[in-house]
Each structure stands twice: as C-alpha cells, then as structure tokens.
Amino acid sequence: MEEKIISVAIDGPAAAGKSTVAKRVAKLLGFTYIDTGAMYRAFTYAVIKKGLDPKVESQAITLIEGMTIELEDDGRVICNGEDVSKPIREPLVSGNVSYIAAMKPIRLALVEMQRAMANKKSVVMDGRDIGTYVLPDANVKIFQIASVETRAIRRYEENLSKGINTSLEEVEEDVRKRDYIDSHRDFAPLKPASDSVLIDTSYMDIDQVVDAVLKVIKDKTGVEACH
Ligand code: DC
C-alpha cells in the first residue's frame, strides 16, 4: 500500500520557537523539516552579497531566475551552491529579510519550491503563510505564538549560542519590526488560518509544546511518534 503523504504547517511570528518545535516533531515522526524562513533569508543574503538593495524590488527580483535553494537534512542551507547557514542568521540579513519577503514575485518563486517539496514527502513546514497560502490543504495547521518579550529573550539566547553577538534591545526591536512588516504586507500576510490550532508558548517549555503539537497531529491524522 502506498504511504500517505502528510503535511503539518506551523506558522507564527518571528522567534516563537517554531523551528525548534518543527524540527523535533519532524524527527519524532520521521518527516522532513522545511524551514521556509531560511529560504527568504538565503534570498536576502544573495541580494546583499550581489551589492543589490534588498528594499528595491526591481533590483532584488533580478536574482529569481536560476536561484537554487537547498535545505539539507542536517540543517545546512545551500544557496546557489554556497553554504549560507551562518550568514543568513546575522543581523544584516535578519534586518532586511522582511522587505524581501514582502515582494510578491519572490514569494511566488519560493512558494513554488516549497509546494514541490511537500508534494514529494511528508513534511513539517514552518513559516508565516504555510497554512493560509502555501499548503491550504495541510492535514494539520498550528499557529504558534508567544509574547514579544519572551520571543526576544529566546532569539537573543539562540544567537549567543550560535556565536552571533546582538544586544537584547536590538533583538526585541527587530522582532517588533518584523511582526509589523510580516503582518501588514498585502500578499500572504502573517495571520492564523481559520482552521489552525493556536498554541501560546509563552509559559511552556519546548517539550510541552512538542507534546501539544504531537497530540494535535495524532488527533487529526492518527499518526503517532515513535519515542
Ligand atoms: O522564521 P524566520 O525568522 O527565519 O523568517 C525570516 C523572515 O522571512 C520573516 O521575517 C518573515 C519571512 N517569512 C515569510 O514571510 N514567509 C514564510 N513562510 C517564512 C518566513
């Protein structure tokens, strides 16, 4: 019997812990984790590296043609053959990625890649518009939130552990700015899908969130993790 392809969409604002949770859930279920934010970051990095202005659409879209972005199973992000895993987390990219993500032609190109990935195998895909736009028929849709303060502290600690030096104030300002731009853009803005399950992680640790997500997946699809 052919195995059923299942898709799990995890959306929510910046630094809500989506990627940590999505990665763990994917591993426990044997699904592939797809970090769509990393794809927008990789595109942003490529634009900056070429000396183009990430705020100017006519410049940024010149890179769509021929752009390749690969998400490796070990978490590495390869853009046009280059390993960009580290630079895409630096403040220069974080501070500009929302401009790139608001450009419709770039979204359409990346969404096409994301849909192709989800067509091939069972995925846990995290982003902003997965449940509303990329995979509107996803089997499971989670909308993961946390307060701005909690999210800023989490991202700050994550940056430190990756050797990226930023102040907490800088991170909080970046989170607020991205919340605003991501939820106010015209095309596929950040918002919960009407059929999503909301999980507020402000007072939950990672294990609790992972368990909550696994329970939703089990209830909706019958699929269980083999712990
Ligand atoms: O999840 P992240 O912080 O790595 O995402 C980086 C940016 O990309 C974020 O500010 C919004 C944008 N993004 C998006 O618009 N749509 C997605 N599906 C994923 C990310």
Side-chain angles (χ1 to χ4, degrees), residues 101-123:
M103 294 172 187
K104 188 171 175 182
I106 293 176
R107 293 201 76 81
L108 291 177
L110 297 190
V111 166
E112 199 180 307
M113 293 181 197
Q114 291 154 13
R115 286 182 179 154
M117 293 171 183
N119 260 334
K120 277 192 257 158
K121 47 197 176 181
S122 291
V123 296

Side-chain angles (χ1 to χ4, degrees), residues 80-101:
N80 294 334
E82 180 191 347
D83 184 346
V84 298
S85 316
K86 178 130 197 269
I88 63 169
R89 305 292 163 193
E90 298 281 354
L92 183 61
V93 169
S94 297
N96 283 294
V97 62
S98 280
Y99 304 117
I100 291 294

Side-chain angles (χ1 to χ4, degrees), residues 14-15 18 35-38 40-41 89 97-98 101 107 114 126-130 155 178 182 185:
K18 303 183 299 293
D35 176 357
T36 62
Y40 289 95
R41 285 172 180 271
R89 305 292 163 193
V97 62
S98 280
R107 293 201 76 81
Q114 291 154 13
D126 89 30
R128 304 294 189 287
D129 59 340
I130 311 306
R155 183 52 55 90
R178 287 203 285 143
D182 294 345
R185 66 176 175 236

Side-chain angles (χ1 to χ4, degrees), residues 181-199:
I181 303 178
D182 294 345
S183 49
H184 286 81
R185 66 176 175 236
D186 291 336
F187 184 59
L190 168 69
K191 62 168 187 214
S194 56
D195 51 351
S196 63
V197 176
L198 184 86
I199 301 182

